[in-house]
Every structure is written in structure tokens, then in C-alpha cells.
Amino acid sequence: MLLILTHENGDFDAVASQLAAHKLYPEGVPLLPRRVNRNVHQFLALYGGSLGFVRMEEWRRKKVDDIVLVDTQSLPNVRGVKPGVSVRVFDHHLPGETPPFWTVHYQPVGATATMLVEMLQAAGLTLSPEEATLLLLGIHEDTGSLTYDTSTMRDAQATAWLMTQDAQLNIVRRFLEIPLTQEQQVLYAQLQMGAEWLTIEGQSILLASAKAPPRFDDEISSVAHRMRDALVPDSLLVLVELAQHVQLVARSSTDQVDVGALATALGGGGHSRAAAAMIMDTTLDGARQRVLEKLPQVIKPMVKVAQLMSHGVTTVTATATVAAAADQMRRLGHEGYPVIDEQNQIIGLLTRRAVDRAMSHQLGDLAVHQVMQAGQVMVYPDDSVERVQQLMIEEGWGQIPVVTRSQPPELLGIVTRTDLLTLLSQPARPARQPNMRQLMSRMLQPAVWQMVQAISQVAAAQGISLYFVGGLVRDLLLGKPSVDIDMVVEGDAIVLVSVLQAQYGGDLRTHTRFGTAKWLMSPQVWQAIALEQPQQDVPESIDFVTARTEFYARPTALPEVARSSIKLDLHRRDFTINTLAVRLDGAHLGQLLDFYGGQRDLEHGVIRVLHSLSFIDDPTRILRAARLEQRLAFVIEERTAELIADALPMLLRITGDRIRHEIELALQEAEPERVLARLGELGVLRVLHPQLTWQPETTESFTQAASLFAHPLWQPTLRPQDLVVVYFILWLLPLPAAVQTGVMNRLRVRKTTQQDMEAACSLRRGLAQLAPDCRPSEVVRLVRAHAASVRVLATVMARLLAERKTAAAQLIQQYQQAWRHITPALNGYDLIAMGVERGPQMGDLLDQLLAGRLDGSIDDETAERALVQQFLAAQSAAAPGVQD
């Protein structure tokens, strides 16, 4: 027999889930719990007759073979159920510890009824109005009518489907809002008298405790709901002393307080927003003390302004003109600026809206103080985010300055409405954040990690915030080694590097305009930092860049830059996965910063552009998107792909040098053919030239070229950077000559590359015209006639091998291996000494000597001299006779 069970004190989600399971497993018996909530009891009294439930008192002991357990992972005590019975669990609570032979089906939705409704839909089942209404009650009750943060789109979709099954909203409303009984009203009054307000980590928590009225036998959850709705705490904890135990009913309206974890710690269970526990063997006061002990452990630390603010805030002076402020807004893009007086004290806020209105009325000459929002609204770094939210609502300021508590206060930064919305809209982060300090110690070379720690201490002593950003952080989180060690400084990078140089030595190169510094690190510097000579290759220099923001005066132009905060520095980057940063200074070493969802996109394997005009500002980011996607085996997300398609025409405005640079970077990837193929799919190649394509068969040419560069015969004569040129020529080689020329002109290809392209094409044609039994001298003459460099030879050979033209490839192989080393024993001076006159005939004679050596007709110097003597004799015989 199959039993369908749920937890005691069954609510609508529990009983509705039993009903859905019965529809899915009609051979099962949906056995109601011994106690159900009063509103559930009343609903079943009216409509339960047609729903097929069996009450516990009607159950007769039978052998139970299988159990379907819904909305709980704890098996209730039922006659006939023996240990070891097969159990299938359907639950929306996080999986806990269950016997290994149980099967647990968990879905992160707001109600268990939702996942079972989805199964009903998939099975093509239909519902009666009563069944649909019960399931709708289950979802509405557990999701707070879709208002709890645990609600999902799937819950909403399930409710929509239930409406198509004639679920009755008037019945849902009636049974979700039933009045309290007289006993519940008495308990409610006692709980109000025993209520105390607590504030922990900025969360307002109402802890209400009371002894139950005599013979109280009603549900407590309805009382708790009524108290929560009336007093609106962040979290409500109700303790009621009953005859055998103290009952805890816990509700939370915020992710900051996990009442499920609290109930679990006290022997109960539930989820983060609603939970309960029976606390045994204690008094009401004892239960209260246990709750107070456990409570701090289930409250997340308060998010403070310091974690949200941007440093390096830009201000405007009260006497500046509106026109000057408008230009500043156009360049830097902020929506508002604190206004300061002559003493650098905040006296108001200038918003973009006020500036736009003034400019539209031709009032650009007005002073800023005439259009600003006057006031001294500010927060401190240790204020809560709730304080910021309250000020924004009360004062209407979308940007609030952050100041020190000193007098007069000093401006530290700013927190904006966008910052707040970003925080509030972020999905819940995983409970375990990556330990970046541990990751760096494991992934970085030992000497580099010691260097990071040394610079960290110096930066902290100087009060400078220091970061790793972008690709290095991304690669650390992906478990990939990173070669480039660059640092971003929130402050003055030149000052920091000057201190480092003074302490450890080395040389310093600076660029004052952009606030950048390069620390050239000799072996002595590394030894001073690592206290021993590094065992591996370490960087010869480290770049330190001052955090900056960018402004594009027009689409495709190179950006103008200005100093800014780390947050704005990250905002100028291309893709979310490149906006991650790790703070390095002092006690902050290892703090991961993720303002733009980069960690989420890393986990999902997504390339997502940071803002919608990114490809308009810099269309070369299109090529970088494809390169990064293929390198990481990620996927360009749908909206980003749309923005790429829209921005393709902007590539026509980009200089050939910039596009060529991006293509050369693509050709340096481990699998460049994947990047080129993707650029073809995205439509980039046809924008560069209408007939430019990627031909899949060229992949084999790339493979052969890479093998040649690793081959002992070719490796000594080829430089690693030559492979990029070889790849480029191989890519264009199958295309018509006009396309080759057009592409090289568009990309402003270097003259040497163009010459190699021409040589490869002509050499390939020449080899095709040679007879199968051609002499070595013919091959050498062909190679030298086309001035073919070693990388041209490698290019042509890779193409021939890919085409399976092994005979022609073998000729190049023999040239590279042997023929190129063969020379005559005699040289020009020897020929002059033997009587050969200077001129073209000397070159012809040397060619004959070389051909004889190559073809085997001459094998020593004696034979060479004999050939020269024959040449001289023939020349003498052909000369006119001398008259006496």
C-alpha cells in the first residue's frame, strides 16, 4: 500500500500537496495529519467530502510498502509504517539529513504545492474547482500571496494555471483571513503584554512570550500572523507555554533573519521565512533564554554604508555655473553631485534634472546654488542601509554624501539610489563565499604571494586602498593561473610606488597625467620581499593604476579619463565577469567586491555586457566578447548578442590598426579557429569585408602550423610571435586574391605580412607546377625566387599538409632539413682568382655550382673547379681570335 503523508499541524500547503500527490499517485491514500490548522479544518468541513482524504481516526492498520511524504522531511508516526519503508519526499524546504534509501525531490520554490502543480500540468491532468482552490490556497498561504521574497516566477505561473482550472478567489480570500477565536484573542492580548523589541544588526525583532490560556487547544500561527500584520517587525518570534512544551512560532519578512535555522537549532524546522519548534523540558523563561542565545547566530551582519559607498566623490562648488556643471555631467555621467561651499562643507545636492531644466530655459549662466536642492543630508560609513533608504524617502535625495564623524565632517564618498537598488535586487548569494586569501596563496607563485602581502602592508600604512581587478580575479575564481599582475589604487598610485621603491629598491616609471606607475623589480627586489631567490620566473615589473572613470566624447572614440573610485573604475569595464575586484590593503586583504553580478555570471558561464551602450562606445569589445566566450567555453547571453548585432555597423568607424590588434589577440588564443568561427557567426567578418569568411577546413591548417612550431626541425628558426602571422596568412590563403588585398588594406596590415602573404601564394602556385620528379635545385630556385622566409615556408607547408599534398610538403621539409644548408665550396673570390670576370656570368656560374651540388652531379671542390675551367675554356673558345 502507498500512503501519502505530511507534517502535523498541517497548513494549506501541506494538505494541498497531499491532494496533488493523490492525483499523481491515485493508488495512494492521502492520510490527513492528526491536527490541521483551523482554517484548513474549516475548509475541509465544507469541501473535503469530494477530495478523497482519509482522517487519522478512520485509518486501520495495514501493511505499508511505500510512502509519498510532502512538505516535510520528517516521517510522522503512523500505525503500519515500519522502519526501512520506501519513502519519496517532495518538499520546497532545503534538504536535510534523511535516510540514504529515501528519494528526495527538492525545488527552490515558494510552496511545495507549486512543484506538484507543475507535475500535474506535465501529466496533462485537470482539476475540479474545489481541488484547484485548495492548491491555490496552499501557494497563497506559503508565499504571502506572492509577496514573500521566497516567491518565484514558478509560483506565479502555477497560480495562473490554477485560475484556468476555475480556482475560486473569493474562497481563497475567506479562508486566508478568518477571525481569531475567543481563546486566540486572549492569547493575543497576553503576547502583546509580554512583547519586547530587540534590535540586532539593524533588524527590528519582536519577541513575544506568554502562557497559554487554560485548556487552550487552538493554533498559534494565526495569532502570530495577526501580530505580525499589526506591528510589522522585521521578524516575529512567538513563544507560548503549553502543558507539555513551549511552542515557538517564528516569522521573518527579511533575508537577514533566517527563522528556519533558529527553529532547527531548537529541535524544529521550517524555511527561512516561516518555521516552528516544540521546545521540550524547559519553562517559558528557559525557552526565551535559549532563543536569545541562538538568535545572533541566524542574523546576517548588517550591510553598512561603507560596503556600499563609492570613494573619490566628485563635487561642484556653489558658485560654479550650471553650464559648467552640465559639461561635467556629460563627461562623467553621474546623476547628482554634492555642492560644497568655500569651506568644503556640503550645502546641497545638484541633480541632473535641475541642470537639464535650467539648460532647457537657456539659464546656463546661473550659479549652482540657485538651482540645487539645499540642505545638509549625509550619512556615516557605519550607518545601516536602512538609514540611507529612510533619508532618500524623506529628503528626496538620490545621492547622499558619506562623511566622517569628525567636526567639521570630511567628505569620504557617496551612496546613490542605484547602489541601493542594486543591493536590494541582488539574488541571495551562496552561503559560502570564496576565500580569496586562500585562493591567492594557492594560485599565485609563492614569491608573488609574498610580494602581495608586502605591498598590502605598505598600502595599509599609507591609508591607500589597493585592489586586484578584472581578469586576474576572474581567473582566480575559475582556478586558472594568471600571468599579469596589475594593481588598481584608490588614491595616488605614484605615491604608493614611490614608498615601495624607497623601502625595497627597484626603478620607477610614472605617467603623471594618468596617475600610473610601473615598479621595475630587479632580482634584488624580489629577494628582499621573498627573503630568498624566487624558484620560478616572476614578473619583471608591476603596473599600478589609479582608479579612473572614462568618458567617450563620441562613439568609437578613444576615451577621456578622470580619477574616480574603484566602483566607477569597475563600471567602465566591458563585461560583468571582468568587474570583480579583490581588496588587498591591510586587514581587507582577500575581500571580494562584486558590484555588478560578475560572480553570478561566472557561475552560470555567461558573457554579459555591462551596459547597453558599451559596444557603441567601443565596438572592439565585440571581438573581445567572442574571444572571451571561446577561451572560457562560456555563452554570450541573449541581450548581449542583440546589442552586438545592433552595434556591428559601428565597426566601420574603427581604425584598421585597432581591429587588427584585436584579431592578433584572437590568434594568440589556444584555439584561435574557434574565435574566428564565432566572429563569422556574429557577422563581424562580413563587416570587415563582404567576402571575408572563416572556412572550417582551415582548422586543420592551424593544427598543422602549431605542430610545426613545436617540431625540433622548425622550432629553432621560428619565433613564437611568428605563429600569429602564420595563422593570419593561413586564414586568408584560401580566399580570392582581391579579398586578401581588401582585408589587408582594411586592417592596415604591416608591409612584411603583406609580403609574406604574396610569397606564400606564389610559392604555393609554383610548387603545384613542379613535376613529381623535379630536381632539388628547382625547389631551391623556386624558394629563393620568391624570397620565401622561414615563416612563409612553414605557412605553405602547413597548408599542404592540411590538403594532404604530402609530396609537395616533403619538398619543403627537405629544403628546411638539408637543401638550404648546401653551398658550393667555391665563392666569388675563388672564381675571380681563377680568372672569371665580375658580372652576371659569375652569378650564373655560382648557380650552376649550387645546382650541381644539390642534384649530385658535383660532389667535391675538384669537380667544381673542373666545371669552372670548362666554363672558362668555353668562354675563351667563343671569344674572337687575336690578329698578329
Side-chain angles (χ1 to χ4, degrees):
M1 171 174 286
L2 172 67
L3 270 188
I4 302 172
L5 303 176
T6 189
H7 55 80
E8 290 298 329
N9 298 310
D11 56 9
F12 273 119
D13 189 29
V15 175
S17 298
Q18 283 187 286
L19 171 70
H22 182 45
K23 299 284 289 184
L24 294 164
Y25 302 98
E27 74 278 13
V29 176
L31 187 60
L32 288 171
R34 293 175 180 83
R35 292 178 57 86
V36 296
N37 289 348
R38 186 161 61 90
N39 53 352
V40 176
H41 177 79
Q42 292 179 358
F43 178 88
L44 293 176
L46 288 175
Y47 305 104
S50 62
L51 300 178
F53 288 110
V54 175
R55 299 183 183 277
M56 192 66 74
E57 58 269 21
E58 300 169 352
W59 169 249
R60 297 294 178 261
R61 183 187 185 102
K62 296 178 182 178
K63 181 183 178 183
V64 177
D65 302 304
D66 295 289
I67 289 176
V68 170
L69 188 61
V70 297
D71 201 41
T72 182
Q73 295 164 42
S74 298
L75 196 60
N77 184 21
V78 177
R79 296 190 303 273
V81 176
K82 295 182 179 179
V85 68
S86 172
V87 177
R88 281 167 285 179
V89 177
F90 296 90
D91 196 7
H92 73 123
H93 303 105
L94 284 171
E97 293 185 8
T98 56
F101 53 86
W102 284 22
T103 303
V104 179
H105 301 277
Y106 160 74
Q107 293 291 326
V109 290
T112 301
T114 294
M115 58 189 294
L116 291 164
V117 164
E118 292 173 342
M119 294 172 67
L120 290 172
Q121 288 179 268
L125 298 175
T126 59
L127 302 175
S128 69
E130 294 81 6
E131 292 169 336
T133 302
L134 176 56
L135 283 161
L136 190 60
L137 276 162
I139 297 175
H140 269 276
E141 187 175 63
D142 252 35
T143 64
S145 295
L146 303 178
T147 62
Y148 294 165
D149 289 348
T150 50
S151 305
T152 67
M153 184 185 297
R154 292 168 60 184
D155 298 300
Q157 291 169 339
T159 61
W161 182 76
L162 290 171
M163 293 297 294
T164 69
Q165 301 294 302
D166 292 331
Q168 302 298 301
L169 283 177
N170 60 328
I171 298 177
V172 171
R173 186 167 54 250
R174 171 185 172 188
F175 285 99
L176 288 181
E177 301 174 359
I178 62 172
L180 298 180
T181 64
Q182 185 174 352
E183 291 79 6
Q184 287 175 322
Q185 292 176 25
V186 172
L187 177 60
Y188 182 91
Q190 292 176 342
L191 286 169
Q192 279 188 311
M193 294 179 62
E196 53 185 315
W197 286 91
L198 309 171
T199 302
I200 305 176
E201 292 289 352
Q203 300 299 309
S204 62
I205 299 170
L206 180 60
L207 175 58
S209 53
K211 289 187 177 181
R215 296 179 298 280
F216 182 84
D217 191 29
D218 217 325
E219 63 189 70
I220 300 170
S221 58
S222 297
V223 180
H225 289 167
R226 195 62 54 89
M227 182 170 285
R228 179 194 60 188
D229 294 342
L231 302 177
V232 199
D234 292 326
S235 296
L236 171 67
L237 307 176
V238 170
L239 289 170
V240 178
E241 184 176 336
L242 301 170
Q244 304 294 328
H245 65 278
V246 177
Q247 180 70 40
L248 167 70
V249 175
R251 298 292 183 265
S252 177
S253 60
T254 171
D255 287 333
Q256 301 303 111
V257 184
D258 186 348
V259 294
L262 175 65
T264 300
L266 295 169
H271 53 81
S272 61
R273 295 305 182 93
M278 291 190 297
I279 307 175
M280 310 299 293
D281 303 322
T282 187
T283 62
L284 183 62
D285 187 61
R288 175 181 170 279
Q289 291 300 321
R290 291 175 62 180
V291 166
L292 292 174
E293 290 172 8
K294 301 289 185 183
L295 191 54
Q297 302 171 22
V298 302
I299 300 178
K300 295 179 183 178
M302 175 178 63
V303 179
K304 297 181 180 179
V305 168
Q307 299 169 252
L308 205 61
M309 63 183 277
S310 296
H311 296 267
V313 60
T314 305
T315 60
V316 293
T317 60
T319 55
T321 65
V322 170
D327 181 65
Q328 184 169 310
M329 286 183 171
R330 184 179 63 87
R331 287 186 297 105
L332 300 182
H334 306 321
E335 293 298 317
Y337 294 84
V339 182
I340 56 174
D341 59 14
E342 296 84 355
Q343 288 77 42
N344 290 327
Q345 295 304 298
I346 298 167
I347 60 171
L349 179 75
L350 179 67
T351 66
R352 182 182 293 273
R353 182 180 181 185
V355 168
D356 289 344
R357 291 183 65 182
M359 294 298 292
S360 69
H361 292 297
Q362 310 300 315
L363 298 176
D365 292 334
L366 288 179
V368 163
H369 68 81
Q370 294 177 272
V371 299
M372 71 180 187
Q373 292 177 246
Q376 290 186 314
V377 180
M378 58 194 74
V379 292
Y380 303 114
D382 56 354
D383 279 342
S384 70
V385 170
E386 285 73 17
R387 170 67 175 157
V388 175
Q389 189 172 6
Q390 179 185 0
L391 282 175
M392 286 183 176
I393 293 171
E394 292 176 354
E395 304 294 337
W397 285 32
Q399 299 80 26
I400 297 183
V402 184
V403 299
T404 63
R405 290 188 179 273
S406 60
Q407 290 299 327
E410 297 179 17
L411 185 61
L412 293 174
I414 198 163
V415 60
T416 69
R417 184 182 289 114
T418 301
D419 296 332
L420 189 62
L421 291 174
T422 300
L423 174 71
L424 296 176
S425 64
Q426 279 180 347
R429 294 190 177 184
R432 290 177 61 90
Q433 288 291 305
N435 186 327
M436 297 305 299
R437 187 182 294 223
Q438 189 179 80
L439 266 179
M440 287 189 289
S441 68
R442 188 173 73 245
M443 297 296 297
L444 298 177
Q445 297 177 29
V448 173
W449 173 233
Q450 289 174 314
M451 175 271 296
V452 170
Q453 295 176 85
I455 297 176
S456 169
Q457 295 175 8
V458 173
Q462 296 295 314
I464 291 175
S465 300
L466 183 69
Y467 305 88
F468 277 150
V469 300
L472 187 149
V473 181
R474 177 198 70 218
D475 291 343
L476 283 172
L477 289 169
L478 292 174
K480 298 176 181 289
S482 187
V483 178
D484 296 328
I485 305 293
D486 300 333
M487 297 185 180
V488 173
V489 177
E490 204 169 38
D492 194 327
I494 297 175
V495 169
L496 174 61
V497 182
S498 298
V499 175
L500 289 169
Q501 182 196 26
Q503 185 165 337
Y504 292 106
D507 290 326
L508 174 64
R509 301 285 185 272
T510 63
H511 196 307
T512 306
R513 179 185 172 191
F514 294 107
T516 62
K518 182 185 288 290
W519 187 21
L520 304 172
M521 303 174 69
S522 64
Q524 291 74 23
V525 173
W526 281 106
Q527 190 165 3
I529 291 175
L531 303 180
E532 60 181 19
Q533 196 64 34
Q535 299 299 310
Q536 299 171 283
D537 291 338
V538 291
E540 296 179 355
S541 65
I542 299 176
D543 289 323
F544 293 78
V545 182
T546 298
R548 63 186 191 271
T549 188
E550 292 178 344
F551 165 67
Y552 289 84
R554 64 185 185 279
T556 76
L558 293 173
E560 302 172 19
V561 299
R563 285 192 181 185
S564 72
S565 65
I566 184 63
K567 186 172 184 181
L568 291 177
D569 185 278
L570 296 172
H571 188 262
R572 70 183 177 83
R573 297 174 186 272
D574 44 17
F575 309 110
T576 57
I577 61 174
N578 289 336
T579 63
L580 295 160
V582 174
R583 192 164 175 179
L584 302 175
D585 50 296
H588 299 286
L589 178 61
Q591 178 186 346
L592 179 64
L593 278 65
D594 181 9
F595 297 112
Y596 306 109
Q599 192 179 354
R600 172 201 62 206
D601 286 343
L602 265 187
E603 292 169 354
H604 294 164
V606 166
I607 304 295
R608 186 190 310 275
V609 76
L610 199 55
H611 55 86
S612 59
L613 292 179
S614 182
F615 297 125
I616 301 296
D617 288 339
D618 184 1
T620 62
R621 288 171 174 166
I622 296 172
L623 287 85
R624 292 204 290 277
R627 176 159 51 90
L628 205 55
E629 177 193 44
Q630 298 306 309
R631 180 199 304 169
L632 301 177
F634 279 19
V635 176
I636 296 175
E637 63 96 23
E638 185 176 354
R639 176 56 179 161
T640 300
E642 292 175 356
L643 294 172
I644 286 175
D646 293 341
L648 283 176
M650 304 302 293
L651 285 169
L652 298 172
R653 303 189 186 185
I654 299 295
T655 64
D657 303 84
R658 290 179 64 193
I659 296 176
R660 188 190 70 245
H661 174 68
E662 292 296 332
I663 288 177
E664 288 172 348
L665 290 175
L667 293 174
Q668 293 173 32
E669 293 290 325
E671 297 180 281
E673 65 278 2
R674 291 171 57 89
V675 183
L676 293 176
R678 184 63 168 134
L679 290 175
E681 293 172 1
L682 292 171
V684 173
L685 300 186
R686 65 173 175 268
V687 174
L688 302 182
H689 190 283
Q691 293 175 269
L692 180 59
T693 61
W694 167 255
Q695 300 187 6
E697 56 269 23
T698 306
T699 299
E700 180 60 23
S701 298
F702 278 30
T703 302
Q704 294 292 344
S707 299
L708 289 179
F709 271 70
H711 194 282
L713 175 63
W714 294 85
Q715 194 176 45
T717 56
L718 289 167
R719 302 170 303 169
Q721 59 266 36
D722 288 335
L723 185 57
V724 170
V725 179
V726 171
Y727 280 156
F728 181 80
I729 297 173
L730 285 171
W731 173 28
L732 300 187
L733 203 56
L735 304 177
V739 177
Q740 294 173 359
T741 303
V743 171
M744 289 191 291
N745 290 340
R746 172 68 180 93
L747 300 182
R748 297 173 58 87
V749 169
R750 301 173 186 87
K751 185 176 181 179
T752 54
T753 304
Q754 294 184 40
Q755 291 171 341
D756 282 355
M757 182 81 238
E758 294 170 4
C761 291
S762 57
L763 178 60
R764 186 163 168 252
R765 287 194 300 269
L767 286 169
Q769 295 170 1
L770 289 176
D773 57 348
C774 66
R775 296 188 300 274
S777 59
E778 295 180 77
V779 177
V780 173
R781 191 179 302 116
L782 180 66
V783 170
R784 294 184 176 178
H786 297 295
S789 65
V790 64
R791 67 184 184 189
V792 170
L793 293 174
T795 303
V796 174
M797 183 166 179
R799 180 64 185 179
L800 292 171
L801 289 172
E803 294 175 319
R804 302 294 189 268
K805 296 178 178 179
T806 53
Q810 187 62 33
L811 295 176
I812 296 180
Q813 178 82 352
Q814 287 180 287
Y815 173 87
Q816 180 69 8
Q817 187 169 4
W819 296 340
R820 69 188 178 94
H821 299 296
I822 295 175
T823 57
L826 300 177
N827 58 34
Y829 294 110
D830 296 324
L831 297 186
I832 292 171
M834 292 179 69
V836 178
E837 296 180 359
R838 298 177 184 272
Q841 68 269 18
M842 180 179 288
D844 294 339
L845 186 54
L846 287 172
D847 287 343
Q848 292 179 43
L849 293 175
L850 176 60
R853 283 282 191 172
L854 288 166
D855 299 337
S857 61
I858 297 176
D859 55 9
D860 57 16
E861 184 178 339
T862 301
E864 289 183 17
R865 288 183 178 276
L867 180 64
V868 174
Q869 292 297 338
Q870 291 176 11
F871 171 81
L872 291 172
Q875 189 180 48
S876 176
V882 179
Q883 295 182 354
D884 293 332

